[in-house]
Amino acid sequence: MDKTFITDLLNSLKFEAIRFRVLYVLLFIAVSFAFLVVGYFWPNTYRTEALLQADESNIIEPLLKGRASVTDVDRSAQARENLYTRRVMEKAAEEARLVGTDASEEAVSNAVRKIRSGLNVTTEGKSHFRVSYGSTDPDESFSILNAVVNVFIQDTAR
């Protein structure tokens, strides 16, 4: 492209911007307020997280040292699978007071579905994993995650 063509094009764009400046200012204000309105009505979400360690100790490892190799097991993947079991979810729903002890099977299923939809488990290294729960209510987010982690710890202790 020619330099004069580019300078002529830039000059003409400048003159058109000056000519329609009111329109451009109004368009800028409209777009800015549109983002403001969307941000105002967007629902707030609160996320509570807990970092847990999956213990890697093995009772048999010292006995087999030098004789046989001990298989390397991903404890965080096992913990994730155990965390999503229905037994843990039902106990967590009861502890978080989402359902009572005499609740119907449908109410328990809805509570378990609600917990599973907001629960997120990510692996952080080989022996750590992060459990997080998101909700529109900060107290609900904290109480449900606290119940899930407590039930999980009690279940794995057994």
Side-chain angles (χ1 to χ4, degrees):
M1 289 188 128
D2 190 21
K3 283 185 175 182
T4 57
F5 176 72
I6 294 174
T7 56
D8 288 342
L9 182 64
L10 290 175
N11 284 334
S12 64
L13 285 175
K14 182 177 84 171
F15 289 127
E16 290 297 317
I18 291 171
R19 184 174 156 201
F20 294 109
R21 66 182 172 266
V22 174
L23 178 67
Y24 289 142
V25 168
L26 291 177
L27 183 67
F28 175 77
I29 290 172
V31 169
S32 299
F33 274 108
F35 279 109
L36 182 68
V37 168
V38 167
Y40 183 74
F41 289 111
W42 197 273
N44 292 334
T45 55
Y46 300 94
R47 183 157 294 286
T48 307
E49 296 182 345
L51 182 66
L52 300 174
Q53 178 184 6
D55 191 16
E56 291 188 32
S57 64
N58 191 345
I59 298 173
I60 301 174
E61 186 176 353
L63 299 173
L64 296 178
K65 210 164 212 111
R67 294 186 184 152
S69 64
V70 179
T71 56
D72 193 21
V73 179
D74 188 8
R75 301 285 184 205
S76 60
Q78 283 182 342
R80 179 186 304 134
E81 290 174 8
N82 190 16
L83 189 66
Y84 279 111
T85 60
R86 183 153 180 100
R87 178 186 67 234
V88 171
M89 292 291 153
E90 286 177 357
K91 288 180 185 177
E94 286 178 12
E95 188 173 317
R97 295 188 181 109
L98 294 177
V99 293
T101 56
D102 58 343
S104 67
E105 187 63 34
E106 184 179 346
V108 172
S109 294
N110 288 338
V112 168
R113 193 174 309 116
K114 178 180 180 179
I115 292 174
R116 282 186 179 156
S117 68
L119 194 67
N120 187 17
V121 180
T122 56
T123 303
E124 303 253 336
K126 197 168 188 174
S127 65
H128 292 81
F129 61 99
R130 186 174 303 275
V131 182
S132 62
Y133 186 80
S135 176
T136 56
D137 182 27
D139 294 330
E140 178 185 73
S141 175
F142 175 76
S143 65
I144 290 177
L145 183 71
N146 193 25
V148 168
V149 169
N150 286 340
V151 168
F152 172 72
I153 290 172
Q154 290 170 0
D155 190 58
T156 54
R158 288 188 201 130

